Amino acid sequence: MVNLSKAKISSSRHFYFVLAHLSLLLLSIHVSSFAQQVANKPASPQVLPGKGAKQFDFFYAGEAKARNMYIVRNGKITWSYIDTVGKGEISDAVLMTNGNILFAHQFGVTLINPDKKVLWNYDAPAGYETHTAQPIGKNHVVFIQNGNPAKLFVVNIKTNKTEKEFVLPTKNPTSTHGQFRHARLTKAGTILVAHMDMGKVCEYDINGKELLSIDVPGVWSAEPLDNGNILVAGNKKLVQEINRKGETVWECTTADIPEYQFSSPQIALRLDNGNILVNNWYNQWGPTTNQSSLPVQAIEITPGKKVVWALREWTAPLNLGPSTTIQLLGKRGVISENVHFGDIK
């Protein structure tokens, strides 16, 4: 004799089992469709503001699988340094007034002349990395060495002697790669350091005394401004101007410019017209991206948060690759060697 009660229960369980699986299938389809929409979303407007690579003459360097640097004039590459066989990535570079270029390339710091002759070189010891460097005049270089312990060095490149060094605090001494990326000297002869792993911007004097500490989660770089404030770039807020109390004076977030995918800002600079120049890094080691979906490499933003210029050059004859730093040439550029660190000039 059939037990109708048990049959009804079994049928009900089967119904809800099928319903649950159908719901999961529909949810999976919805999530997949949404992910596909996000993947297909343009990384920037099809028509960009400004004149592209012809807008400015500039020096450009990128953190990529090859260590490349370029000088672009009138929209054309007039000088290039391309290293496809070396080791490391260019994380910081400065074009000096005499045409020499100082660059930090993960496992060392090198100074070359326009003919690409090496004038000075420093190799980081095994287990250490270097991702930022700045010239002080023509005879000195300041750089940070990630590692355990992390240290700041000032080296006289004429004598190759270290004239100053001190230990910098880190969140995780053994996580070498993620400790620091950028540091810049101020007009007061101090140095602003972006502690990437600690989520802080700190200021130090020539003896390593901490003068200032501000929480800035996701910070990548910190640039001193003429008004005493600090311009920071990072993957949390994109660009922020903060005062020495840590208060936000101005900011531009990714939500303010939603038509641009700007996930990895590197360095933000204030131009003489009051606008902000910020560059955007793209991870070549990540998943392969359709060429049409590659992001812009740099933008110029007004105080009103309007993008008035954008650079997107990923194909020949001007394939610039990922952007680590962009320095405008001429009067609008930043000549970073005209600085001092304490009494070192």
Side-chain angles (χ1 to χ4, degrees):
M1 184 175 181
V2 177
N3 189 325
L4 294 178
S5 177
K6 288 184 176 180
K8 286 180 180 179
I9 292 173
S10 177
S11 176
S12 176
R13 285 176 176 171
H14 178 72
F15 171 77
Y16 285 113
F17 178 80
V18 172
L19 182 62
H21 275 70
L22 181 60
S23 298
L24 287 173
L25 178 61
L26 291 173
L27 178 61
S28 175
I29 293 172
H30 174 74
V31 170
S32 177
S33 175
F34 177 76
Q36 189 64 36
Q37 290 177 25
V38 171
N40 292 335
K41 180 183 177 182
S44 59
Q46 186 174 2
V47 178
L48 298 176
K51 301 176 183 178
K54 293 183 178 180
Q55 183 90 358
F56 306 109
D57 294 338
F58 57 89
F59 166 67
Y60 184 100
E63 179 180 324
K65 293 181 179 180
R67 286 137 302 281
N68 298 349
M69 297 184 287
Y70 306 98
I71 292 177
V72 176
R73 299 181 187 274
N74 288 323
K76 296 180 180 180
I77 295 174
T78 59
W79 180 92
S80 63
Y81 173 96
I82 299 176
D83 175 13
T84 59
V85 297
K87 182 183 177 184
E89 56 201 36
I90 295 178
S91 300
D92 197 7
V94 175
L95 174 63
M96 299 172 63
T97 52
N98 58 8
N100 293 344
I101 292 173
L102 178 76
F103 60 107
H105 44 93
Q106 188 173 357
F107 300 110
V109 182
T110 302
L111 178 70
I112 61 173
N113 66 14
D115 295 326
K116 305 168 195 175
K117 178 184 177 183
V118 175
L119 304 176
W120 173 80
N121 181 75
Y122 171 84
D123 291 322
Y128 292 83
E129 296 184 9
T130 53
H131 291 277
T132 186
Q134 184 176 359
I136 307 174
K138 300 293 192 298
N139 297 329
H140 293 86
V141 168
V142 57
F143 64 91
I144 290 175
Q145 184 167 273
N146 297 19
N148 186 15
K151 284 187 177 183
L152 179 147
F153 293 90
V154 179
V155 175
N156 185 320
I157 61 176
K158 298 298 183 184
T159 63
N160 207 33
K161 292 189 184 258
T162 298
E163 295 190 359
K164 184 67 67 170
E165 67 176 271
F166 55 81
V167 172
L168 289 169
T170 57
K171 182 179 180 179
N172 186 350
T174 60
S175 183
T176 300
H177 189 68
Q179 292 172 351
F180 304 95
R181 277 304 179 276
H182 289 283
R184 287 294 181 262
L185 293 166
T186 72
K187 287 187 174 181
T190 59
I191 193 164
L192 290 175
V193 176
H195 287 261
M196 192 166 66
D197 67 336
M198 292 168 56
K200 292 178 178 289
V201 172
C202 297
E203 182 181 21
Y204 300 94
D205 69 11
I206 185 67
N207 297 310
K209 179 182 178 181
E210 183 182 281
L211 306 175
L212 182 71
S213 178
I214 301 173
D215 290 336
V216 187
V219 66
W220 193 276
S221 66
E223 290 281 338
L225 296 175
D226 290 340
N227 61 8
N229 292 342
I230 303 166
L231 194 64
V232 297
N235 57 20
K236 300 295 184 186
K237 288 278 191 167
L238 188 62
V239 185
Q240 289 175 278
E241 179 181 347
I242 55 178
N243 62 24
R244 297 182 69 81
K245 295 179 181 179
E247 300 167 333
T248 299
V249 176
W250 178 88
E251 69 178 18
C252 181
T253 69
T254 52
D256 293 319
I257 50 172
E259 64 272 31
Y260 293 88
Q261 289 184 20
F262 222 80
S263 59
S264 298
Q266 301 280 291
I267 300 177
L269 301 168
R270 173 158 288 156
L271 305 180
D272 57 5
N273 62 2
N275 292 347
I276 303 297
L277 178 68
V278 56
N279 62 323
N280 184 28
W281 178 68
Y282 167 72
N283 184 6
Q284 280 191 332
W285 291 270
T288 302
T289 302
N290 188 292
Q291 198 76 9
S292 62
S293 300
L294 291 170
V296 294
Q297 292 131 312
I299 57 174
E300 180 184 356
I301 316 168
T302 69
K305 304 177 187 179
K306 179 182 178 182
V307 178
V308 294
W309 173 70
L311 177 72
R312 185 179 58 209
E313 294 290 349
W314 291 101
T315 57
L318 202 66
N319 181 6
L320 298 176
S323 174
T324 296
T325 184
I326 180 169
Q327 177 183 331
L328 302 189
L329 307 184
K331 293 181 179 179
R332 300 191 71 178
V334 178
I335 306 301
S336 301
E337 77 218 49
N338 296 327
V339 289
H340 66 103
F341 193 15
D343 58 355
I344 298 177
K345 300 180 179 179

